[in-house]
Amino acid sequence: MNEPREDEIQALVDDRLDPTRRTEIENWLVLNPDAAARVADLRAQRVTVQQAFDGLLDRPVPARFRNIGAAQATGVGPVWRMAAMVTLVVMGAVGGWFANEALAPDEAVTTAFTRDAVRAHSLYVGEKRHAVEVNATEEKHLVAWLSRRLQNELVAPDLSEQGYQLVGGRLLPASVAGPAAQFMYETEAGERITIYIEQDQSGRGNDFRFTAYDGVSAFWWKDGPLAYVLIGTSERAELLALAQTTRRQFTP
Amino acid sequence: MARTSFDLVEPYIPSLRRYALVLLRYDEQRADDLVQDCLLRALSRWHLWRHPGNLRGWLFTILHNIYVNDVARAASRPDVVEIQDYFPAMAVPANQTHSIQLKEAVRAIQGLPDTQRQTLLLVTMEGFSYDETAEITGVPIGTVMSRLSRARDKVREEVSGEDRTRGRSAT
């Protein structure tokens, strides 16, 4: 095999190589210990850099930024003003939620993605016609597509025993790293939950963590390369059961 | 419910503020001024955003351009906050050696030439693809790759250099 190009080394560090080439280069590294040591250092460096700055996402947003939204709303009409007010309320609620949770340092790393997950949930769960990007009728395509984008084997967990059917899913931007996936489920009565999945650089696993505010409850956990959040409005015990079923199906 | 353009940009405020803060070496005032300029410019040029498009990338492009044109040009920055002062705000695990590594890495990054620093932060901290990073910084992708490679090697050199001065054999 040819010596890897420098841009391929960088792509290997960033996990952006296709699997075939990745395997080739990793085999080559076995025979080239200097290059292997460099790749190991750069991979560790990438994780360090992400961790070093992650806490800066959780600073409370100063009023001057919210005022931009309010200023935009005035003079444009009642709909805009109302939307800006809702933004304020939502931001206040989310801010309060995180401020009230006494976060251990390890959990502070997690808040960026739980916040993204709750936002995405609130944004789409109320939609009727555009709740999902890809419908459950194309489940195979949906799962394959999201797996490819998250560079990990995903499943759309089967939650039918608890009365939840897959509505579909969508790809979302994540503020920490790479894209995120969202699956939406609903009961016959129209009760909806979402499962939000993001790549996780820490590579750790953990127990279920629970948090709740304003009628929205979330369980989140990490397993290997992925981090998960399950969000809904049901009882805590029911959501936990759903989270456990989901976790089992992702890690058989 | 109708959503305003502000509603759409609002989710990106935390990451824009973080990027600006690190770019401006923890000068909070100037960093937030930069983000505010960026948001106002984005909202006033909303019609230029191709919908559906990569809104986050577009916002970072605007912020990058303001930074390069206005902020970085007014170069001298004597009132820099010491990096250590900022650590309480960062997610520093209790583990002692680990937090030393974080500090070393942050210091090494802040010592990089500006273009390398931007590239490393956009790719690693913000998770932008190489294509997106090329678009944001307005250079060909080959330039992104070579800046990234040089930045990472320099940080690696600095961090392992500090390890040696502390006596690496101990580990």
Side-chain angles (χ1 to χ4, degrees), chain A residues 6 10-11 14 16 38 41 45 48 50-53 55 59-60 62 64-65 69 72 87 91 119 176, chain B residues 5-7 10 17-18 26 28 32-33 36 89-90 98 102 124-125 127-128 130 149 152-153 156:
Chain A
E6 178 54 26
Q10 297 301 324
D14 286 312
R16 291 185 186 275
R38 176 171 174 248
D41 279 0
Q45 180 195 116
T48 305
Q50 285 167 342
Q51 289 178 350
F53 298 115
R59 293 182 300 152
R64 65 196 285 196
F65 295 111
Q72 190 196 18
T87 307
M91 288 172 82
R119 272 213 183 95
V176 178
Chain B
S5 43
F6 180 76
D7 291 336
E10 184 269 323
R17 289 184 72 221
R18 173 175 69 169
Y26 310 104
E28 223 166 358
D32 279 347
D33 287 348
Q36 185 162 356
M90 297 184 178
H98 192 67
L102 293 187
T124 307
M125 183 175 83
F128 280 112
Y130 305 141
S149 165
R152 283 180 164 159
D153 280 345
R156 179 184 180 225

Side-chain angles (χ1 to χ4, degrees), chain B residues 25-40:
Chain B
R25 299 187 162 81
Y26 310 104
D27 184 334
E28 223 166 358
Q29 186 65 36
R30 291 174 66 212
D32 279 347
D33 287 348
L34 175 59
V35 174
Q36 185 162 356
D37 286 352
C38 165
L39 294 175
L40 290 173

Side-chain angles (χ1 to χ4, degrees), chain A residues 6-16 34 37-39 41-42 45-62 64-70 72-73 79-84 86-87 91 105-106 108-109 115-116 119 123-124 127 173-178, chain B residues 1-7 10-18 21-22 26 28-29 31-36 39-40 43 56 86-87 89-94 98 101-102 105-106 109-110 120-121 123-130 132 145 148-156 160 168:
Chain A
E6 178 54 26
D7 60 316
E8 290 180 312
I9 294 287
Q10 297 301 324
L12 179 69
V13 170
D14 286 312
D15 254 337
R16 291 185 186 275
D34 282 354
R38 176 171 174 248
V39 167
D41 279 0
L42 296 188
Q45 180 195 116
R46 178 166 172 262
V47 174
T48 305
V49 170
Q50 285 167 342
Q51 289 178 350
F53 298 115
D54 207 47
L56 295 180
L57 284 176
D58 298 319
R59 293 182 300 152
V61 176
R64 65 196 285 196
F65 295 111
R66 298 194 297 262
N67 292 342
I68 295 176
Q72 190 196 18
V79 176
W80 287 57
R81 196 165 323 156
M82 201 177 77
V86 170
T87 307
M91 288 172 82
D106 183 47
V109 179
R115 184 177 44 214
D116 286 353
R119 272 213 183 95
L123 186 58
Y124 292 115
E127 291 277 340
S175 58
V176 178
Chain B
M1 191 191 72
R3 280 184 285 144
T4 67
S5 43
F6 180 76
D7 291 336
E10 184 269 323
Y12 303 111
I13 291 177
S15 59
L16 288 165
R17 289 184 72 221
R18 173 175 69 169
L21 188 70
V22 179
Y26 310 104
E28 223 166 358
Q29 186 65 36
D32 279 347
D33 287 348
L34 175 59
V35 174
Q36 185 162 356
L39 294 175
L40 290 173
L43 296 176
R56 184 165 165 261
Y86 240 90
F87 267 85
M90 297 184 178
V92 181
H98 192 67
Q101 281 172 1
L102 293 187
V106 170
I109 289 166
Q110 295 298 23
L120 182 67
L121 291 172
V123 171
T124 307
M125 183 175 83
E126 298 301 333
F128 280 112
S129 71
Y130 305 141
E132 288 169 328
M145 299 316 292
L148 184 61
S149 165
R150 270 178 286 155
R152 283 180 164 159
D153 280 345
K154 208 167 289 173
V155 171
R156 179 184 180 225
S160 63
R168 202 178 207 181

Side-chain angles (χ1 to χ4, degrees), chain B residues 25-160:
Chain B
R25 299 187 162 81
Y26 310 104
D27 184 334
E28 223 166 358
Q29 186 65 36
R30 291 174 66 212
D32 279 347
D33 287 348
L34 175 59
V35 174
Q36 185 162 356
D37 286 352
C38 165
L39 294 175
L40 290 173
R41 198 169 294 191
L43 296 176
S44 71
R45 298 178 185 187
W46 193 248
H47 57 285
L48 296 178
W49 178 51
R50 276 163 306 182
H51 184 87
N54 180 348
L55 178 55
R56 184 165 165 261
W58 187 62
L59 292 170
F60 271 81
T61 307
I62 293 173
L63 189 135
H64 174 86
N65 289 338
I66 302 176
Y67 173 76
V68 169
N69 291 330
D70 306 345
V71 181
R73 197 176 290 164
S76 79
R77 40 181 99 84
D79 49 352
V80 176
V81 178
E82 268 298 301
I83 289 164
Q84 297 90 300
D85 297 348
Y86 240 90
F87 267 85
M90 297 184 178
V92 181
N95 182 326
Q96 199 55 26
T97 41
H98 192 67
S99 82
I100 291 171
Q101 281 172 1
L102 293 187
K103 279 188 196 179
E104 283 174 356
V106 170
R107 197 163 292 142
I109 289 166
Q110 295 298 23
L112 291 172
D114 222 8
T115 54
Q116 290 181 23
R117 200 164 62 105
Q118 291 156 8
T119 308
L120 182 67
L121 291 172
L122 289 169
V123 171
T124 307
M125 183 175 83
E126 298 301 333
F128 280 112
S129 71
Y130 305 141
D131 283 331
E132 288 169 328
T133 304
E135 202 151 305
I136 291 167
T137 52
V139 296
I141 190 160
T143 309
V144 167
M145 299 316 292
S146 67
R147 283 175 181 173
L148 184 61
S149 165
R150 270 178 286 155
R152 283 180 164 159
D153 280 345
K154 208 167 289 173
V155 171
R156 179 184 180 225
E157 212 172 282
E158 297 256 324
V159 171
S160 63

